Amino acid sequence: MAGAVKEAATWEIRHERPEDAPLVEALNAESFGPGRYAKSAYRLREGVHAVAELSFVATEGGAFRGSVRFWPVTIGHEDVLLLGPLAVQSAERGRGIGIALMNRGIEEARRRGYGAIILVGDEPYYARVGFAKLPPGRVRFPGPVDPSRVLGLSLTPNALVSLSGEIRRAKIDDPVCADGAGLGG
Ligand SMILES: CC(C)(COP(=O)(O)OP(=O)(O)OC[C@H]1O[C@@H](n2cnc3c(N)ncnc32)[C@H](O)[C@@H]1OP(=O)(O)O)[C@@H](O)C(=O)NCCC(=O)NCCS
């Protein structure tokens, strides 16, 4: 289910490139603040790289507007995607860019055969692209999480039905950073 686009889109959504990374990091720092590293969802990203083929940026006339990334996690024995961070530059919010970024990532994840996506966020917003609350307690995070903000989206029929258990990092790409040491702001 796609959200409504309120204006003719003058931005483009394309894969993130290495040179975009500083802009993405700066936007996430500005949007979520330093407290983001303490959040459960961030702890699942420590020492693990985002899925490169699912990292997208929005640009307009060459200017950076927003970003979405996805991380690989496991729930029980299932490989699942964790959506986020998603952020749009503050002056450009409310134009449909966030929904467009998510739709592009979801479409690409489906095309590549991923089964399900989960995230921690505001249900009224993410419901616009098909996310719904998971039953409380079904997925356990490595830290406190508001159960009403744990949302999921099946990309293949019933993919969420069998999901239950602890959510963990799917792998460690960078053991030096695995405990958070050396992670930049
Ligand atoms: C959340 C965010 C990515 C949305 O990006 P955006 O480009 O403004 O979103 P869109 O233009 O696609 O959608 C805007 C619509 O979603 C609504 N919306 C935005 N955030 C919302 C939220 N947290 N809860 C409910 N609705 C929300 C807006 O009110 C607007 O509604 P309208 O279409 O009825 O006017 C952007 O506000 C942002 O970067 N925020 C800071 C970072 C953040 O909070 N990220 C999400 C983490 S859970």
Side-chain angles (χ1 to χ4, degrees), residues 23-100:
L23 295 169
V24 174
E25 300 301 339
L27 175 62
N28 288 337
E30 180 194 315
S31 301
F32 299 101
R36 66 195 185 283
Y37 291 121
K39 291 184 178 165
S40 292
Y42 269 89
R43 290 174 56 193
L44 292 164
R45 301 179 180 122
E46 285 171 3
V48 187
H49 299 158
V51 181
E53 66 263 25
L54 298 179
S55 296
F56 291 97
V57 296
T59 65
E60 192 169 26
F64 173 72
R65 295 288 189 242
S67 148
V68 68
R69 289 171 167 172
F70 293 77
W71 253 262
V73 292
T74 60
I75 298 174
H77 297 291
E78 305 287 335
D79 290 328
V80 177
L81 292 168
L82 178 69
L83 190 158
L86 166 73
V88 172
Q89 283 187 328
S90 51
E92 310 298 335
R93 291 176 190 165
R95 302 176 59 203
I97 296 175
I99 297 284

